Amino acid sequence: MEFRWIEWNLEKIAGHGASRDEAEHVVEHARPPYPRYREDEKLLVWGPTESGRLLQVVYLLELDDAVFIIHARPLTDNEKRRHRRAQRKRGQR
């Protein structure tokens, strides 16, 4: 999977406390029901980083199938509870 980074998206995710490696890991390891499609051809993923921190990542698939991350941030406590509850229902960790 190829990721496309520019100063804009690197600074944006850093401002939300996420790193490039974390965001890439979450996208690469997305598990159903993710990715979810959003408006304007955006895709959304919730998932763990290598260290187990839960992030939300929003990205676009470019014409050449490169991933362009436009947003990444830690999940809120409420979102973490929803994510863990949904995973238990699906029998995942």
Side-chain angles (χ1 to χ4, degrees):
M1 187 175 285
E2 180 187 341
F3 291 85
R4 187 152 300 130
W5 293 97
I6 61 174
E7 188 175 331
W8 175 83
N9 60 350
L10 288 168
E11 288 177 359
K12 186 169 182 186
I13 69 167
H16 289 288
S19 73
R20 174 184 180 156
D21 290 342
E22 288 177 318
E24 288 182 3
H25 182 85
V26 169
V27 172
E28 289 173 328
H29 295 88
R31 298 168 81 177
Y34 298 105
R36 290 187 176 163
Y37 291 91
R38 297 301 205 202
E39 72 284 341
D40 300 329
E41 300 181 21
K42 295 175 188 166
L43 295 109
L44 174 129
V45 176
W46 281 5
T49 64
E50 282 188 286
S51 67
R53 194 162 78 117
L54 291 170
L55 294 186
Q56 171 178 283
V57 180
V58 178
Y59 64 96
L60 297 168
L61 275 180
E62 297 186 336
L63 292 176
D64 61 357
D65 289 329
V67 175
F68 185 79
I69 293 176
I70 57 175
H71 175 79
R73 66 161 175 81
L75 294 186
T76 66
D77 289 341
N78 239 4
E79 291 168 335
K80 288 176 191 175
R81 281 190 291 277
R82 283 184 16 222
H83 179 73
R84 289 183 178 124
R85 198 169 29 243
Q87 284 199 307
R88 279 194 300 273
K89 283 184 180 179
R90 287 189 300 276
Q92 298 173 355
R93 286 179 34 169

Coordinates of all heavy atoms in Angstrom, one line a residue:
M1 N 0.9 -1.2 0.0 CA 0.0 0.0 0.0 C 0.9 1.2 0.0 O 1.8 1.3 0.8 CB -0.9 -0.1 1.2 CG -1.9 1.0 1.3 SD -3.1 0.8 2.7 CE -4.1 -0.6 2.2
E2 N 0.6 2.1 -0.9 CA 1.4 3.4 -1.0 C 0.7 4.5 -0.4 O -0.5 4.7 -0.6 CB 1.7 3.7 -2.5 CG 2.5 5.0 -2.6 CD 2.6 5.4 -4.1 OE1 2.4 4.6 -5.0 OE2 2.9 6.6 -4.3
F3 N 1.4 5.3 0.4 CA 0.9 6.5 1.1 C 1.5 7.7 0.5 O 2.7 7.7 0.2 CB 1.1 6.4 2.6 CG 0.3 5.3 3.3 CD1 0.8 4.0 3.4 CD2 -0.9 5.6 3.9 CE1 0.1 3.0 4.0 CE2 -1.6 4.7 4.5 CZ -1.2 3.4 4.6
R4 N 0.7 8.7 0.3 CA 1.2 10.0 -0.2 C 1.1 11.0 0.9 O 0.1 11.3 1.5 CB 0.4 10.4 -1.4 CG 1.0 11.6 -2.1 CD 0.6 11.7 -3.5 NE 1.2 10.6 -4.3 CZ 0.4 9.8 -5.1 NH1 -0.8 10.1 -5.3 NH2 1.0 8.8 -5.8
W5 N 2.3 11.6 1.2 CA 2.4 12.6 2.3 C 2.9 13.9 1.8 O 3.8 13.9 1.0 CB 3.3 12.1 3.4 CG 2.7 10.9 4.1 CD1 3.0 9.6 3.9 CD2 1.8 10.9 5.2 NE1 2.3 8.8 4.8 CE2 1.5 9.6 5.6 CE3 1.1 11.9 5.9 CZ2 0.6 9.2 6.6 CZ3 0.2 11.6 6.9 CH2 0.0 10.2 7.2
I6 N 2.3 15.0 2.3 CA 2.8 16.3 2.0 C 2.9 17.0 3.3 O 2.4 16.5 4.3 CB 2.0 17.1 1.0 CG1 0.5 17.3 1.5 CG2 2.0 16.4 -0.4 CD1 -0.3 18.1 0.6
E7 N 3.5 18.2 3.4 CA 3.6 18.9 4.6 C 2.2 19.2 5.3 O 2.1 19.0 6.5 CB 4.3 20.3 4.4 CG 4.7 21.0 5.6 CD 5.5 22.3 5.3 OE1 6.2 22.3 4.3 OE2 5.4 23.2 6.1
W8 N 1.2 19.5 4.5 CA -0.1 19.8 5.0 C -0.7 18.6 5.8 O -1.1 18.8 7.0 CB -1.1 20.1 3.9 CG -2.5 20.3 4.3 CD1 -3.0 21.5 4.8 CD2 -3.5 19.4 4.4 NE1 -4.3 21.3 5.2 CE2 -4.6 20.0 4.9 CE3 -3.6 18.0 4.0 CZ2 -5.9 19.3 5.1 CZ3 -4.8 17.3 4.2 CH2 -5.9 18.0 4.7
N9 N -0.7 17.4 5.3 CA -1.3 16.3 6.1 C -0.4 15.9 7.2 O -0.9 15.5 8.3 CB -1.8 15.2 5.2 CG -0.8 14.5 4.4 OD1 0.3 14.9 4.2 ND2 -1.2 13.4 3.8
L10 N 0.9 16.0 7.1 CA 1.8 15.6 8.2 C 1.6 16.6 9.4 O 1.5 16.1 10.5 CB 3.2 15.6 7.7 CG 3.6 14.5 6.8 CD1 5.0 14.8 6.2 CD2 3.6 13.2 7.6
E11 N 1.5 17.9 9.1 CA 1.2 18.8 10.1 C -0.1 18.7 10.8 O -0.3 18.8 12.0 CB 1.4 20.3 9.6 CG 2.9 20.6 9.3 CD 3.0 22.0 8.7 OE1 2.0 22.7 8.5 OE2 4.2 22.4 8.4
K12 N -1.1 18.4 9.9 CA -2.5 18.3 10.4 C -2.6 17.1 11.4 O -3.2 17.3 12.5 CB -3.5 18.1 9.3 CG -4.9 18.1 9.7 CD -5.9 18.2 8.6 CE -7.3 18.3 9.2 NZ -8.3 18.2 8.2
I13 N -2.1 16.0 11.1 CA -2.2 14.8 12.0 C -1.4 15.0 13.2 O -1.8 14.6 14.3 CB -2.0 13.5 11.3 CG1 -0.6 13.3 10.9 CG2 -2.9 13.3 10.2 CD1 -0.2 11.8 10.6
A14 N -0.2 15.6 13.1 CA 0.7 15.9 14.2 C -0.1 16.9 15.2 O 0.0 16.7 16.4 CB 2.0 16.5 13.8
G15 N -0.8 17.8 14.7 CA -1.6 18.7 15.5 C -2.7 18.0 16.3 O -3.1 18.5 17.3
H16 N -3.1 16.8 15.9 CA -4.1 16.0 16.6 C -3.4 15.0 17.5 O -4.1 14.1 18.0 CB -5.0 15.4 15.6 CG -6.0 16.4 15.0 ND1 -7.0 17.0 15.6 CD2 -6.0 16.8 13.7 CE1 -7.7 17.8 14.8 NE2 -7.1 17.7 13.6
G17 N -2.1 15.0 17.5 CA -1.4 14.0 18.4 C -1.2 12.6 17.8 O -1.0 11.7 18.5
A18 N -1.2 12.5 16.4 CA -1.0 11.3 15.8 C 0.3 11.4 14.9 O 0.7 12.5 14.5 CB -2.2 10.9 14.9
S19 N 0.8 10.2 14.6 CA 2.0 10.2 13.8 C 1.8 9.5 12.4 O 0.8 8.8 12.3 CB 3.2 9.5 14.5 OG 2.9 8.1 14.5
R20 N 2.6 9.7 11.5 CA 2.6 9.1 10.2 C 2.5 7.6 10.3 O 1.7 6.9 9.7 CB 3.8 9.6 9.4 CG 3.9 8.9 8.1 CD 5.2 9.4 7.4 NE 5.4 8.7 6.1 CZ 6.1 9.2 5.1 NH1 6.7 10.4 5.3 NH2 6.2 8.6 4.0
D21 N 3.4 7.0 11.1 CA 3.5 5.6 11.3 C 2.2 5.0 11.9 O 1.7 4.0 11.5 CB 4.7 5.2 12.1 CG 6.0 5.3 11.4 OD1 6.0 5.5 10.2 OD2 7.0 5.4 12.1
E22 N 1.6 5.7 12.9 CA 0.4 5.3 13.5 C -0.7 5.3 12.5 O -1.5 4.3 12.4 CB 0.0 6.2 14.7 CG 0.9 6.0 15.9 CD 0.6 7.0 17.0 OE1 0.3 8.2 16.7 OE2 0.5 6.5 18.2
A23 N -0.9 6.4 11.8 CA -2.0 6.5 10.8 C -1.9 5.4 9.7 O -2.9 4.8 9.4 CB -2.0 7.9 10.2
E24 N -0.7 5.2 9.2 CA -0.5 4.2 8.2 C -0.8 2.8 8.7 O -1.5 2.0 8.0 CB 1.0 4.2 7.7 CG 1.3 5.4 6.8 CD 2.7 5.4 6.2 OE1 3.5 4.4 6.5 OE2 3.1 6.4 5.6
H25 N -0.4 2.5 9.9 CA -0.7 1.2 10.5 C -2.2 1.0 10.7 O -2.7 -0.1 10.4 CB 0.0 1.1 11.9 CG -0.2 -0.2 12.6 ND1 0.6 -1.3 12.3 CD2 -1.2 -0.6 13.5 CE1 0.1 -2.3 13.1 NE2 -0.9 -1.9 13.7
V26 N -2.9 2.0 11.1 CA -4.4 1.8 11.3 C -5.0 1.5 9.9 O -5.9 0.6 9.8 CB -5.0 3.1 11.9 CG1 -6.5 3.0 11.9 CG2 -4.5 3.2 13.4
V27 N -4.6 2.2 8.9 CA -5.2 2.0 7.5 C -4.8 0.6 7.0 O -5.7 -0.2 6.5 CB -4.8 3.1 6.6 CG1 -5.2 2.7 5.1 CG2 -5.3 4.4 7.0
E28 N -3.6 0.2 7.2 CA -3.1 -1.1 6.7 C -3.7 -2.3 7.4 O -3.8 -3.3 6.8 CB -1.6 -1.2 6.8 CG -0.8 -0.3 5.8 CD 0.7 -0.2 6.1 OE1 1.1 -0.4 7.3 OE2 1.4 -0.1 5.1
H29 N -4.1 -2.1 8.6 CA -4.7 -3.2 9.4 C -6.2 -3.0 9.7 O -6.7 -3.6 10.6 CB -3.9 -3.3 10.7 CG -2.5 -3.7 10.5 ND1 -1.5 -2.8 10.3 CD2 -1.9 -4.9 10.4 CE1 -0.3 -3.4 10.1 NE2 -0.5 -4.7 10.2
A30 N -6.9 -2.3 8.8 CA -8.3 -2.1 9.0 C -9.0 -3.4 8.9 O -8.7 -4.3 8.1 CB -8.8 -1.2 7.9
R31 N -10.0 -3.6 9.9 CA -10.8 -4.8 9.9 C -12.2 -4.4 9.8 O -12.6 -3.4 10.2 CB -10.5 -5.5 11.3 CG -9.1 -5.9 11.5 CD -8.8 -6.3 12.9 NE -9.2 -7.7 13.1 CZ -9.1 -8.3 14.3 NH1 -8.5 -7.7 15.3 NH2 -9.5 -9.5 14.4
P32 N -13.1 -5.3 9.2 CA -14.5 -5.0 9.1 C -15.1 -4.6 10.4 O -14.7 -5.1 11.4 CB -15.1 -6.4 8.6 CG -13.9 -7.1 8.0 CD -12.7 -6.7 8.7
P33 N -15.9 -3.6 10.4 CA -16.6 -3.0 9.2 C -15.9 -1.8 8.6 O -16.5 -1.0 7.9 CB -17.9 -2.5 9.9 CG -17.5 -2.0 11.2 CD -16.4 -3.0 11.6
Y34 N -14.6 -1.8 8.7 CA -13.8 -0.7 8.2 C -13.1 -1.1 6.9 O -12.7 -2.3 6.8 CB -12.9 -0.1 9.2 CG -13.6 0.5 10.4 CD1 -13.6 -0.2 11.6 CD2 -14.3 1.7 10.3 CE1 -14.3 0.3 12.7 CE2 -15.0 2.2 11.4 CZ -15.0 1.5 12.6 OH -15.7 2.0 13.6
P35 N -12.8 -0.2 6.0 CA -13.2 1.2 6.0 C -14.7 1.4 5.8 O -15.3 0.6 5.1 CB -12.3 1.8 4.9 CG -12.1 0.7 3.9 CD -12.1 -0.6 4.8
R36 N -15.1 2.5 6.3 CA -16.5 3.0 6.0 C -16.4 4.2 5.1 O -15.6 5.0 5.2 CB -17.2 3.4 7.4 CG -17.5 2.2 8.3 CD -18.3 2.7 9.4 NE -18.6 1.5 10.2 CZ -19.0 1.6 11.5 NH1 -19.1 2.8 12.1 NH2 -19.3 0.5 12.1
Y37 N -17.4 4.2 4.2 CA -17.4 5.3 3.2 C -18.1 6.5 3.8 O -19.1 6.3 4.5 CB -18.0 4.8 1.9 CG -17.2 3.8 1.2 CD1 -17.3 2.5 1.4 CD2 -16.2 4.3 0.3 CE1 -16.5 1.6 0.8 CE2 -15.3 3.4 -0.3 CZ -15.5 2.0 -0.1 OH -14.7 1.1 -0.7
R38 N -17.6 7.7 3.5 CA -18.1 8.9 4.0 C -18.4 9.8 2.8 O -18.1 9.4 1.6 CB -17.1 9.7 4.9 CG -16.9 8.9 6.2 CD -18.1 8.7 6.9 NE -18.0 8.6 8.3 CZ -18.9 8.0 9.1 NH1 -20.0 7.5 8.5 NH2 -18.7 7.9 10.3
E39 N -18.9 11.0 3.0 CA -19.2 11.9 1.9 C -17.9 12.3 1.2 O -16.8 12.1 1.7 CB -19.9 13.2 2.4 CG -19.1 14.1 3.2 CD -18.8 13.7 4.7 OE1 -19.5 12.8 5.2 OE2 -17.8 14.3 5.2
D40 N -18.0 12.8 0.0 CA -16.9 13.3 -0.8 C -15.8 12.2 -1.0 O -14.6 12.5 -1.1 CB -16.3 14.5 -0.2 CG -17.2 15.7 -0.1 OD1 -18.1 15.8 -0.9 OD2 -17.1 16.5 0.9
E41 N -16.2 10.9 -1.2 CA -15.3 9.8 -1.5 C -14.3 9.6 -0.4 O -13.2 9.0 -0.6 CB -14.6 10.1 -2.8 CG -15.6 10.1 -3.9 CD -15.0 10.3 -5.3 OE1 -13.8 10.0 -5.5 OE2 -15.7 10.8 -6.2
K42 N -14.5 10.0 0.8 CA -13.6 9.8 2.0 C -13.9 8.4 2.6 O -15.0 7.9 2.6 CB -13.8 10.9 3.0 CG -13.4 12.2 2.6 CD -13.8 13.3 3.6 CE -13.6 14.7 3.1 NZ -14.2 15.7 3.9
L43 N -12.9 7.8 3.1 CA -13.0 6.6 3.9 C -12.6 6.8 5.3 O -11.6 7.6 5.6 CB -12.1 5.5 3.2 CG -12.6 5.1 1.8 CD1 -11.6 5.6 0.8 CD2 -12.8 3.6 1.7
L44 N -13.2 6.1 6.2 CA -12.9 6.3 7.6 C -12.6 4.9 8.2 O -13.2 3.9 7.9 CB -14.2 6.9 8.3 CG -14.1 6.9 9.9 CD1 -14.4 8.3 10.3 CD2 -15.0 5.9 10.5
V45 N -11.6 4.9 9.1 CA -11.2 3.7 9.8 C -11.0 4.1 11.3 O -10.4 5.1 11.6 CB -9.8 3.2 9.3 CG1 -9.3 2.0 10.1 CG2 -9.9 2.8 7.8
W46 N -11.4 3.2 12.2 CA -11.1 3.2 13.6 C -10.3 2.0 13.8 O -10.7 0.9 13.4 CB -12.3 3.2 14.5 CG -13.1 4.4 14.6 CD1 -12.9 5.6 14.0 CD2 -14.2 4.6 15.5 NE1 -13.8 6.5 14.4 CE2 -14.7 6.0 15.3 CE3 -14.9 3.8 16.3 CZ2 -15.7 6.5 16.0 CZ3 -16.0 4.3 17.0 CH2 -16.4 5.7 16.8
G47 N -9.2 2.1 14.5 CA -8.4 0.9 14.8 C -7.2 1.2 15.7 O -6.9 2.4 15.9
P48 N -6.5 0.2 16.1 CA -5.4 0.3 17.0 C -4.1 0.6 16.3 O -3.9 0.1 15.2 CB -5.3 -1.0 17.8 CG -5.9 -2.0 16.8 CD -6.9 -1.2 16.0
T49 N -3.2 1.3 16.9 CA -1.8 1.5 16.4 C -1.0 0.3 16.9 O -1.6 -0.6 17.6 CB -1.2 2.8 17.0 OG1 -1.1 2.6 18.4 CG2 -2.0 4.0 16.7
E50 N 0.2 0.2 16.5 CA 1.0 -0.9 17.0 C 1.1 -1.0 18.5 O 1.2 -2.0 19.1 CB 2.5 -0.9 16.4 CG 2.5 -1.3 15.0 CD 4.0 -1.4 14.5 OE1 4.6 -0.4 14.3 OE2 4.5 -2.6 14.4
S51 N 1.1 0.2 19.2 CA 1.1 0.2 20.6 C -0.2 0.0 21.3 O -0.3 0.0 22.5 CB 1.8 1.6 21.1 OG 0.9 2.7 20.8
G52 N -1.3 -0.1 20.5 CA -2.6 -0.3 21.0 C -3.5 0.9 21.2 O -4.6 0.8 21.6
R53 N -2.9 2.1 20.9 CA -3.7 3.3 21.0 C -4.7 3.3 19.8 O -4.4 3.0 18.7 CB -2.7 4.5 20.8 CG -3.3 5.8 21.2 CD -2.2 6.8 21.5 NE -1.7 7.4 20.2 CZ -1.8 8.7 19.9 NH1 -2.3 9.5 20.7 NH2 -1.2 9.1 18.8
L54 N -6.0 3.7 20.2 CA -7.0 3.7 19.2 C -7.1 5.1 18.4 O -7.2 6.1 19.1 CB -8.4 3.4 19.8 CG -8.5 2.0 20.3 CD1 -9.8 1.8 21.1 CD2 -8.5 1.0 19.1
L55 N -7.1 5.0 17.1 CA -7.2 6.2 16.3 C -8.3 6.2 15.3 O -8.8 5.1 14.9 CB -5.9 6.4 15.4 CG -4.6 6.6 16.0 CD1 -3.5 6.9 15.0 CD2 -4.6 7.8 17.0
Q56 N -8.8 7.4 14.9 CA -9.6 7.5 13.8 C -8.8 8.1 12.7 O -8.1 9.1 12.9 CB -10.8 8.5 14.1 CG -11.6 8.9 12.9 CD -12.7 9.8 13.2 OE1 -13.7 9.3 13.8 NE2 -12.6 11.1 12.9
V57 N -8.9 7.5 11.5 CA -8.2 8.0 10.3 C -9.2 8.2 9.2 O -10.0 7.3 8.9 CB -7.0 7.0 9.9 CG1 -6.3 7.5 8.7 CG2 -6.1 6.7 11.0
V58 N -9.1 9.3 8.5 CA -9.9 9.6 7.4 C -9.0 9.8 6.2 O -8.0 10.5 6.3 CB -10.8 10.8 7.6 CG1 -11.6 11.2 6.3 CG2 -11.7 10.7 8.8
Y59 N -9.3 9.2 5.1 CA -8.4 9.2 3.9 C -9.1 9.2 2.6 O -10.3 8.9 2.6 CB -7.3 8.1 4.0 CG -7.8 6.7 3.9 CD1 -7.9 6.0 2.7 CD2 -8.3 6.1 5.0 CE1 -8.3 4.7 2.6 CE2 -8.7 4.8 5.0 CZ -8.8 4.1 3.8 OH -9.2 2.8 3.7
L60 N -8.4 9.5 1.6 CA -8.9 9.4 0.2 C -8.0 8.4 -0.6 O -6.8 8.3 -0.3 CB -8.8 10.7 -0.5 CG -9.6 11.9 0.0 CD1 -9.2 13.2 -0.6 CD2 -11.1 11.6 -0.2
L61 N -8.6 7.6 -1.5 CA -7.9 6.8 -2.4 C -7.7 7.6 -3.7 O -8.7 8.0 -4.3 CB -8.6 5.5 -2.7 CG -8.4 4.4 -1.7 CD1 -9.2 3.1 -2.2 CD2 -7.0 4.0 -1.5
E62 N -6.5 7.9 -4.0 CA -6.2 8.7 -5.2 C -6.4 7.8 -6.5 O -6.5 6.6 -6.4 CB -4.9 9.3 -5.1 CG -4.8 10.3 -4.0 CD -3.5 11.1 -3.9 OE1 -2.5 10.6 -4.4 OE2 -3.6 12.2 -3.3
L63 N -6.4 8.4 -7.7 CA -6.6 7.7 -8.9 C -5.6 6.5 -9.1 O -5.9 5.5 -9.7 CB -6.5 8.6 -10.1 CG -7.7 9.6 -10.2 CD1 -7.5 10.6 -11.3 CD2 -9.0 8.9 -10.3
D64 N -4.4 6.7 -8.6 CA -3.4 5.6 -8.7 C -3.4 4.7 -7.5 O -2.4 3.9 -7.3 CB -2.0 6.2 -8.9 CG -1.5 7.1 -7.7 OD1 -2.3 7.3 -6.8 OD2 -0.4 7.6 -7.8
D65 N -4.4 4.7 -6.7 CA -4.7 3.9 -5.5 C -3.7 4.2 -4.4 O -3.7 3.5 -3.4 CB -4.6 2.4 -5.9 CG -5.7 1.9 -6.7 OD1 -6.8 2.5 -6.5 OD2 -5.6 1.0 -7.5
A66 N -3.0 5.4 -4.4 CA -2.3 5.8 -3.3 C -3.2 6.3 -2.2 O -4.3 6.8 -2.5 CB -1.3 6.9 -3.7
V67 N -2.9 6.1 -1.0 CA -3.7 6.6 0.2 C -3.2 8.0 0.6 O -2.0 8.2 0.8 CB -3.5 5.6 1.3 CG1 -4.3 6.1 2.6 CG2 -4.0 4.2 0.9
F68 N -4.1 8.9 0.6 CA -3.8 10.3 1.1 C -4.6 10.5 2.3 O -5.9 10.7 2.3 CB -4.2 11.3 0.0 CG -3.8 12.7 0.3 CD1 -2.5 13.1 0.2 CD2 -4.7 13.6 0.8 CE1 -2.1 14.4 0.5 CE2 -4.4 14.9 1.2 CZ -3.1 15.3 1.0
I69 N -3.9 10.5 3.5 CA -4.6 10.7 4.8 C -4.8 12.2 5.0 O -3.9 13.0 4.8 CB -3.7 10.1 5.9 CG1 -3.7 8.6 5.7 CG2 -4.2 10.5 7.3 CD1 -2.8 7.8 6.7
I70 N -6.1 12.5 5.3 CA -6.5 13.9 5.5 C -6.8 14.2 7.0 O -6.9 15.4 7.3 CB -7.6 14.3 4.6 CG1 -8.9 13.4 4.8 CG2 -7.2 14.2 3.1 CD1 -10.1 13.8 4.1
H71 N -6.9 13.1 7.8 CA -7.2 13.4 9.2 C -6.8 12.1 10.0 O -7.1 11.0 9.6 CB -8.7 13.6 9.3 CG -9.2 13.8 10.7 ND1 -9.1 14.9 11.4 CD2 -9.9 12.9 11.5 CE1 -9.7 14.8 12.6 NE2 -10.2 13.6 12.7
A72 N -6.3 12.3 11.2 CA -6.0 11.3 12.1 C -6.0 11.8 13.5 O -5.3 12.9 13.7 CB -4.7 10.6 11.8
R73 N -6.7 11.2 14.4 CA -6.7 11.6 15.8 C -7.1 10.5 16.7 O -7.6 9.5 16.3 CB -7.8 12.7 16.0 CG -9.2 12.2 15.7 CD -10.2 13.2 16.3 NE -11.6 12.8 16.0 CZ -12.3 11.8 16.6 NH1 -11.7 11.1 17.6 NH2 -13.5 11.5 16.3
P74 N -6.7 10.6 18.0 CA -7.1 9.5 19.0 C -8.6 9.5 19.1 O -9.3 10.6 19.0 CB -6.4 10.0 20.3 CG -5.4 10.9 19.9 CD -5.8 11.6 18.6
L75 N -9.2 8.3 19.4 CA -10.6 8.2 19.6 C -10.9 8.8 21.0 O -10.1 8.8 21.9 CB -11.0 6.8 19.7 CG -11.0 6.0 18.4 CD1 -11.6 4.6 18.6 CD2 -11.7 6.7 17.2
T76 N -12.1 9.4 21.1 CA -12.5 9.9 22.4 C -12.9 8.7 23.3 O -13.0 7.6 22.8 CB -13.8 10.8 22.3 OG1 -14.9 10.0 21.8 CG2 -13.6 12.0 21.3
D77 N -13.0 8.9 24.6 CA -13.4 7.8 25.5 C -14.7 7.2 25.1 O -14.8 6.0 25.1 CB -13.5 8.3 26.9 CG -12.1 8.7 27.5 OD1 -11.1 8.2 27.0 OD2 -12.1 9.4 28.5
N78 N -15.7 8.0 24.7 CA -16.9 7.4 24.2 C -16.8 6.6 23.0 O -17.3 5.5 22.9 CB -17.9 8.6 23.9 CG -19.2 8.6 24.7 OD1 -19.3 7.7 25.5 ND2 -20.0 9.5 24.4
E79 N -16.0 7.0 22.0 CA -15.7 6.3 20.8 C -15.0 5.0 21.1 O -15.2 3.9 20.5 CB -14.9 7.1 19.8 CG -15.7 8.3 19.2 CD -14.8 9.3 18.5 OE1 -13.6 9.4 18.8 OE2 -15.4 10.0 17.6
K80 N -14.0 5.0 22.1 CA -13.3 3.8 22.5 C -14.3 2.8 23.0 O -14.2 1.6 22.6 CB -12.3 4.1 23.5 CG -11.1 4.9 23.0 CD -10.2 5.2 24.2 CE -9.1 6.2 23.8 NZ -8.3 6.6 25.0
R81 N -15.2 3.2 23.8 CA -16.2 2.3 24.4 C -17.0 1.7 23.3 O -17.3 0.4 23.2 CB -17.1 2.9 25.4 CG -16.4 3.1 26.8 CD -17.4 3.6 27.8 NE -17.9 4.9 27.6 CZ -17.2 6.0 28.0 NH1 -16.1 5.9 28.6 NH2 -17.7 7.2 27.8
R82 N -17.5 2.5 22.3 CA -18.3 2.0 21.2 C -17.5 1.0 20.4 O -18.0 0.0 19.9 CB -18.8 3.2 20.3 CG -19.9 3.9 20.9 CD -20.5 5.0 20.1 NE -20.2 5.0 18.7 CZ -19.9 6.1 18.0 NH1 -19.8 7.3 18.6 NH2 -19.7 6.1 16.7
H83 N -16.2 1.3 20.1 CA -15.4 0.5 19.3 C -15.2 -0.9 20.0 O -15.3 -1.9 19.3 CB -14.0 1.2 19.0 CG -13.1 0.4 18.3 ND1 -13.2 0.1 16.9 CD2 -11.9 -0.3 18.6 CE1 -12.2 -0.6 16.5 NE2 -11.4 -0.9 17.5
R84 N -14.8 -0.9 21.2 CA -14.6 -2.1 22.0 C -15.9 -3.0 22.1 O -15.8 -4.2 21.9 CB -14.0 -1.8 23.3 CG -12.6 -1.3 23.2 CD -11.9 -1.1 24.6 NE -10.6 -0.6 24.4 CZ -10.1 0.5 24.8 NH1 -10.8 1.3 25.6 NH2 -8.8 0.8 24.6
R85 N -17.0 -2.3 22.3 CA -18.3 -3.0 22.4 C -18.6 -3.7 21.0 O -19.0 -4.9 21.0 CB -19.4 -2.0 22.8 CG -20.6 -2.7 23.3 CD -21.6 -1.7 23.9 NE -21.6 -0.3 23.4 CZ -21.3 0.8 24.1 NH1 -20.9 0.6 25.4 NH2 -21.3 1.9 23.6
A86 N -18.4 -3.0 20.0 CA -18.6 -3.5 18.6 C -17.7 -4.7 18.3 O -18.1 -5.7 17.7 CB -18.5 -2.4 17.6
Q87 N -16.5 -4.6 18.7 CA -15.5 -5.7 18.5 C -15.9 -6.9 19.3 O -15.8 -8.0 18.8 CB -14.1 -5.3 18.9 CG -13.5 -4.4 17.8 CD -12.0 -4.3 17.9 OE1 -11.5 -4.1 19.0 NE2 -11.4 -4.6 16.8
R88 N -16.4 -6.8 20.5 CA -16.8 -7.9 21.3 C -18.0 -8.6 20.6 O -18.0 -9.8 20.6 CB -17.2 -7.5 22.7 CG -16.0 -7.3 23.6 CD -16.4 -7.2 25.1 NE -17.3 -6.1 25.4 CZ -16.9 -4.8 25.7 NH1 -15.6 -4.5 25.7 NH2 -17.8 -3.9 25.9
K89 N -18.9 -7.8 20.1 CA -20.0 -8.4 19.4 C -19.6 -9.2 18.2 O -20.2 -10.2 17.8 CB -21.0 -7.3 18.9 CG -21.9 -6.8 20.0 CD -22.8 -5.8 19.4 CE -23.7 -5.2 20.4 NZ -24.7 -4.2 19.9
R90 N -18.5 -8.8 17.5 CA -18.0 -9.5 16.3 C -17.0 -10.6 16.7 O -16.4 -11.3 15.9 CB -17.3 -8.5 15.4 CG -18.2 -7.6 14.6 CD -17.6 -6.8 13.6 NE -16.5 -6.0 14.0 CZ -16.7 -4.7 14.5 NH1 -17.9 -4.2 14.6 NH2 -15.7 -4.0 14.9
G91 N -16.7 -10.7 18.0 CA -15.8 -11.8 18.5 C -14.3 -11.4 18.3 O -13.5 -12.3 18.2
Q92 N -14.0 -10.1 18.1 CA -12.6 -9.7 17.9 C -12.1 -9.1 19.2 O -12.8 -8.9 20.1 CB -12.5 -8.6 16.8 CG -13.0 -9.1 15.5 CD -13.1 -8.0 14.5 OE1 -12.9 -6.8 14.8 NE2 -13.4 -8.3 13.3
R93 N -10.7 -9.0 19.2 CA -10.1 -8.3 20.4 C -10.4 -6.9 20.4 O -10.4 -6.2 19.5 CB -8.6 -8.5 20.3 CG -8.1 -9.8 20.6 CD -6.7 -9.9 20.5 NE -6.0 -8.7 20.9 CZ -4.7 -8.6 21.1 NH1 -4.0 -9.6 20.9 NH2 -4.2 -7.4 21.5

